[in-house]
Amino acid sequence: MSLFRIFVNQLEEDDEDMSQATSKKVITREEWEKKLNAVKLRKEDMNTLVMNFLVTEGYVEAAEKFQRESGTKPEIDLATITDRMAVKKAVQNGNVEDAIEKVNDLNPEILDTNPELFFHLQQQRLIELIRQGRTEEALEFAQEELAPRGEENQAFLEELEKTVALLVFEDASTCPVKELLDISHRLKTASEVNAAILTSQSHEKDPKLPSLLKMLIWAQNQLDEKAVYPHINDLSTGQLEDPSV
Amino acid sequence: MSSSPSPANSANGGDTTNAGNGQDLNLLHFLDKVRLAATRDAKEDEGEDSPTELNTINSAGGFLVVSPDKLSVKYTNMNLHGHDVGVVQANRPAPVKCLTYYFEIFVKDSGVKGQVAIGFTKESFKMRRQPGWEVNSCGYHGDDGFLYRGQGKGEPFGPKYTKDDTVGGGINYATQEFFFTKNGAIVGKIPKDIKGHLFPTVAVHSQNEEVLVNFGKKKFAFDIKGYEVSERNKQQMAIEKISIPPNIGYGLVKTYLLHYGYEETLDAFNLATKTTVPPINIDQGNAIDEDDSPYALKQRKILRQLVRNGEIDAAMVKLREWYPETVQDDKSVVCFLLHCQHFIELLRVGKLEEGVKYGRLELAKFVGLTGFQDIIEDCFALLVYEKPEESPVGYFLEDSHKELVADAVNAAILSTNPNKRDAQSHLHSHLEKLLRQLTVCCLERRSLNGDQGETFRLHRVLDNNSTRR
């Protein structure tokens, strides 16, 4: 093949590459900013999004103040948040009996319809008894309250056995399941209770804001297949970055 | 992001808005917001009408009979060949700016040969052929259970169907697929290669075949709403897998509160999160000083309260005292919005005469200016209605307008920050920037998808709050 032919072939290949690249729609920064400015975004909706965050995370005082300062109505009764936070706190402090009582005061159906949650709360109670060194009480409690659940459900039985194993070790720090004694396990149980209460109140257990942020990244990834346009690559700066053409 | 200058701002010989004042140029954005508020968009409706009945005009004339209620069709002819199909389309094409479209038929009588079909065709379809026998059409046929999509030969697809069966045809715009159902269960789906608007289509071909059509007036056998929920959930699950910086939600909420001057909320929020959430680094824009402390937070809070309480005079006094540069020019956007608001507050309590006096004194000067003319006229129109809150200009009386004015004042103060990082960041909170980007990406994606499918609407996400039972 002559050099000329090779050269022409190369140009034709480049042409093909170019047309692959330019088959995506190119949107300039200027055009993109025009589109951004044309979006009708209501302040009230953004306020609602923030209120949803405060309420779902349980920040009652902040939610109250926000209602006063912005006029945004909380989507659920703030009093129920206080109750919910009291339950959460009780679990976080290891007062599981107290927490169970409060949950039942709030809504007895929650534990009735949530056997897994109830088991985890009872398990936490057992852990606290073991932590306090009340071995006899712990064993009694395990036999009376937890063993029957274990008989009904294989997963519960396994959890129960793990928990009881704590008793076998004099020095808990050598026990392979010592993470059960960790404070983080209390937080895990607390989170579970929080979610169950929210669900029982027909409220979603997670704030919407993080989902929207994920949706932004997802939407940009989707649009990347068809267009070249300014991205926001860093959520914490929100800076528009020009397309790298 | 830059604010688009108001279209009315082109020089007009006479005095226009103060294009020279750099700060003012940015606040024009708020005037645009007022104009946007005036264009009330109907709820979710993207302005598309749905099919409601069969189209008797564009149908296979002599071969079939459509009932007077236009919801059923019967084959009256004798099936002699392949070009005397009794085919009929719906009166309108399927709407496209939604997640799905769906309709059903009920086979009342399968006649001599049971050659009923359901599918989708374009406007130009030859109204004597089964849907699917021509290009740019598709049809699910009852006699063989095959799916036809443009060739004479179909492909095996689902079960046959006959008398007393309910069969549905649908389009999923997100996945760009056709799907069909029989007696409430999905039979299958195929990719939708056909572009543009499609008409729900029904066909009968042998003697005495009769089919009833349901465009949604009656309950469907198939749970289309449940299908939509599970499709949306599929997308949602894919989205949930994406990872974002930990605790960024907290950072954004905090910055939001700081940006708009919700001081008390911010204090309570900081207190609550002090021990449980590590500090996050979010760009604070114009809201902080050089030593990272909040800029003018207390003052902005006070001004917001005054505006929300309707104490406009007091607000102007404070602004003059603390940030004279924002109200120095009496024809600035801030002054305009505040004067308007004072006028509105007078009207709100029925003090029309005082309102007119105030209007003459402080608002008349805006009447000649191209940047303000349209808004000022709408505002004055409040005077003529007995029940202004129910009028087309009622939005001036709503809380959302007060909010807008408060936000404009807030932005004006932020723009006086000597530690300003850039010329625009007093306009939008960080969260707002992200939400705008999300909206435009979704809109653009839909537009490149033949303008089909759902798009992102914040208030729809917010409305969908309770977990469905």
Side-chain angles (χ1 to χ4, degrees):
Chain A
M1 211 191 295
S2 72
L3 270 177
F4 176 73
R5 187 93 297 256
I6 295 171
F7 182 62
V8 169
N9 284 354
Q10 189 61 49
L11 279 180
E12 282 173 359
E13 272 173 35
D14 286 349
D15 257 357
E16 258 176 50
D17 288 339
M18 278 300 285
S19 63
Q20 293 286 50
T22 55
S23 64
K24 286 192 196 174
K25 178 177 177 189
V26 175
I27 309 177
T28 63
R29 178 141 182 166
E30 204 188 315
E31 290 169 338
W32 190 257
E33 289 190 346
K34 255 204 208 139
K35 291 179 199 274
L36 287 171
N37 279 321
V39 171
K40 183 170 177 176
L41 199 55
R42 298 191 308 187
K43 175 84 185 305
E44 308 88 80
D45 289 338
M46 291 198 292
N47 280 351
T48 305
L49 189 59
V50 167
M51 180 60 94
N52 163 270
F53 187 89
L54 296 174
V55 158
T56 315
E57 294 296 299
Y59 301 134
V60 191
E61 286 84 39
E64 278 170 355
K65 290 271 168 18
F66 193 56
Q67 181 175 16
R68 258 227 311 271
E69 288 192 303
S70 73
T72 313
K73 293 201 186 30
E75 59 228 14
I76 55 179
D77 186 358
L78 291 180
T80 61
I81 304 183
T82 319
D83 295 336
R84 171 163 56 93
M85 288 300 113
V87 172
K88 199 170 169 191
K89 208 161 177 201
V91 176
Q92 282 169 340
N93 291 337
N95 302 331
V96 187
E97 235 185 299
D98 188 30
I100 293 179
E101 222 184 281
K102 286 190 161 69
V103 172
N104 283 326
D105 282 344
L106 197 57
N107 183 348
E109 273 191 42
I110 296 176
L111 292 179
D112 283 345
T113 55
N114 249 311
E116 195 178 331
L117 172 63
F118 187 52
F119 178 80
H120 284 154
L121 280 167
Q122 297 285 63
Q123 180 192 22
Q124 190 68 43
R125 226 171 124 184
L126 178 59
I127 293 172
E128 299 305 326
L129 285 171
I130 296 174
R131 190 202 308 279
Q132 290 161 21
R134 290 148 75 173
T135 314
E136 249 198 74
E137 263 183 81
L139 282 170
E140 231 185 276
F141 183 71
Q143 281 171 356
E144 284 179 23
E145 297 288 341
L146 286 166
R149 306 268 127 55
E151 281 167 16
E152 300 162 7
N153 181 319
Q154 183 63 25
F156 288 177
L157 186 61
E158 282 169 26
E159 287 288 316
L160 178 55
E161 287 174 357
K162 258 171 60 183
T163 315
V164 170
L166 283 172
L167 279 169
V168 176
F169 290 80
E170 271 228 28
D171 181 3
S173 57
T174 56
C175 173
V177 289
K178 65 176 189 294
E179 71 270 9
L180 289 176
L181 281 175
D182 211 52
I183 296 293
S184 62
H185 196 268
R186 277 191 194 164
L187 296 181
K188 188 165 159 238
T189 314
S191 230
E192 220 185 307
V193 167
N194 186 54
I197 299 177
L198 280 168
T199 310
S200 80
Q201 293 168 340
S202 298
H203 193 273
E204 279 165 21
K205 58 184 178 65
D206 291 315
K208 294 187 199 280
L209 178 54
S211 288
L212 291 182
L213 299 176
K214 293 181 183 189
M215 200 189 280
L216 169 55
I217 298 177
W218 174 86
Q220 287 188 147
N221 290 342
Q222 293 275 310
L223 188 54
D224 280 341
E225 294 173 15
K226 300 225 166 117
V228 174
Y229 62 95
H231 284 69
I232 291 184
N233 292 320
D234 187 344
L235 291 180
S236 59
T237 64
Q239 282 295 93
L240 262 186
E241 293 178 27
D242 282 319
S244 45
V245 184
Chain B
M1 68 199 90
S2 57
S3 68
S4 53
S6 132
N9 193 29
S10 48
N12 192 23
D15 200 2
T16 63
T17 55
N18 301 280
N21 182 347
Q23 168 192 326
D24 217 46
L25 201 60
N26 294 336
L27 293 180
L28 287 174
H29 172 75
F30 288 94
L31 294 185
D32 286 337
K33 276 195 166 173
V34 178
R35 291 186 183 98
L36 268 181
T39 69
R40 291 331 221 19
D41 51 10
K43 297 217 61 190
E44 261 322 295
D45 208 320
E46 302 252 16
E48 288 180 304
D49 286 324
S50 280
T52 50
E53 56 190 26
L54 295 171
N55 183 348
T56 47
I57 301 174
N58 186 28
S59 70
F63 305 136
L64 51 63
V65 164
V66 176
S67 60
D69 69 358
K70 301 197 185 167
L71 289 174
S72 74
V73 55
K74 187 168 178 169
Y75 194 75
T76 47
N77 206 21
M78 285 178 39
N79 171 352
L80 297 174
H81 49 75
H83 285 259
D84 61 354
V85 178
V87 59
V88 57
Q89 292 174 328
N91 59 342
R92 290 186 198 106
V96 297
K97 289 190 177 154
C98 40
L99 181 58
T100 66
Y101 175 74
Y102 182 75
F103 77 110
E104 282 183 346
I105 60 169
F106 175 76
V107 184
K108 194 159 166 205
D109 192 334
S110 53
V112 174
K113 293 188 193 167
Q115 287 169 335
V116 181
I118 181 175
F120 293 92
T121 59
K122 292 192 74 110
E123 190 160 13
S124 53
F125 188 69
K126 289 202 186 100
M127 301 305 286
R128 334 159 133 249
R129 304 280 285 159
Q130 287 277 14
W133 281 359
E134 303 288 315
V135 284
N136 284 335
S137 72
C138 90
Y140 172 37
H141 293 200
D143 57 352
D144 52 12
F146 277 24
L147 198 295
Y148 292 78
R149 40 177 172 157
Q151 288 102 10
K153 209 157 128 51
E155 57 204 58
F157 179 71
K160 304 183 195 170
Y161 55 89
T162 181
K163 183 167 187 297
D164 290 343
D165 282 329
T166 302
V167 183
I171 306 175
N172 182 332
Y173 293 109
T175 57
Q176 288 288 303
E177 288 173 329
F178 289 118
F179 62 95
F180 293 93
T181 69
K182 180 183 172 186
N183 295 332
I186 289 222
V187 157
K189 46 190 176 156
I190 47 147
K192 172 172 89 77
D193 302 326
I194 317 171
K195 300 219 188 300
H197 281 105
L198 287 167
F199 286 79
T201 308
V202 169
V204 286
H205 200 193
S206 72
Q207 225 172 358
N208 295 327
E209 281 177 26
E210 191 177 349
V211 152
L212 307 180
V213 191
N214 181 2
F215 290 118
K217 246 194 236 176
K218 296 195 298 197
K219 190 161 154 25
F220 291 127
F222 175 66
D223 181 12
I224 183 68
K225 290 284 166 218
Y227 176 72
E228 286 193 331
V229 167
S230 78
E231 288 296 295
R232 282 197 196 105
N233 280 345
K234 267 191 222 158
Q235 182 173 293
Q236 199 51 41
M237 290 201 312
I239 292 175
E240 286 302 319
K241 291 204 175 90
I242 294 176
S243 66
I244 50 176
N247 297 320
I248 190 167
Y250 290 88
L252 283 172
V253 166
K254 184 171 165 167
T255 313
Y256 184 89
L257 298 172
L258 177 61
H259 177 97
Y260 290 109
Y262 294 116
E263 187 190 28
E264 289 174 25
T265 312
L266 181 59
D267 284 344
F269 184 74
N270 282 337
L271 198 61
T273 55
K274 197 164 53 173
T275 50
T276 49
V277 182
I280 334 277
N281 250 340
I282 301 273
D283 180 46
Q284 312 274 34
N286 275 4
I288 43 171
D289 255 325
E290 48 197 15
D291 56 356
D292 273 359
S293 64
Y295 176 75
L297 183 55
K298 187 160 232 64
Q299 291 87 336
R300 290 184 288 120
K301 177 195 81 167
I302 291 175
L303 252 342
R304 182 176 290 275
Q305 308 279 43
L306 289 173
V307 171
R308 282 185 61 81
N309 290 338
E311 300 172 49
I312 309 299
D313 270 340
M316 299 212 70
V317 163
K318 283 275 178 267
L319 273 178
R320 249 174 239 129
E321 183 190 338
W322 292 334
Y323 304 102
E325 62 267 55
T326 60
V327 288
Q328 201 170 300
D329 172 10
D330 202 36
K331 297 210 186 86
S332 66
V333 172
V334 172
C335 288
F336 172 70
L337 287 173
L338 285 171
H339 286 313
C340 266
Q341 196 61 29
H342 188 110
F343 173 77
I344 291 167
E345 294 301 333
L346 287 170
L347 261 55
R348 196 195 299 281
V349 292
K351 294 187 177 159
L352 272 72
E353 248 192 77
E354 228 182 294
V356 172
K357 254 200 241 161
Y358 187 80
R360 285 196 187 125
L361 189 59
E362 300 289 5
L363 287 174
K365 57 170 148 328
F366 292 102
V367 172
L369 306 185
T370 36
F372 302 108
Q373 177 98 9
D374 53 338
I375 299 179
I376 228 336
E377 280 174 6
D378 283 344
C379 196
F380 279 156
L382 284 167
L383 285 166
V384 311
Y385 293 94
E386 243 195 77
K387 289 207 178 145
E389 61 275 5
E390 292 172 20
S391 72
V393 288
Y395 56 89
F396 281 116
L397 291 163
E398 286 179 18
D399 244 20
S400 52
H401 188 82
K402 262 198 244 182
E403 189 81 3
L404 196 158
V405 176
D407 288 343
V409 169
N410 185 67
I413 299 176
L414 282 178
S415 73
T416 66
N417 186 351
N419 192 42
K420 247 196 331 215
R421 283 183 42 265
D422 70 73
Q424 314 287 350
S425 49
H426 57 284
L427 285 183
H428 305 289
S429 57
H430 194 108
L431 177 60
E432 189 177 349
K433 279 196 269 194
L434 299 178
L435 291 173
R436 279 176 190 263
Q437 180 80 357
L438 170 55
T439 309
V440 175
C441 283
C442 288
L443 277 173
E444 199 58 33
R445 176 171 160 256
R446 178 170 80 175
S447 139
L448 293 172
N449 195 25
D451 226 11
Q452 298 186 349
E454 288 183 315
T455 185
F456 171 72
R457 277 186 201 281
L458 181 56
H459 64 90
R460 182 171 56 209
V461 170
L462 293 170
D463 282 343
N464 182 31
N465 196 25
S466 47
T467 49
R468 292 195 205 185
R469 293 279 162 110

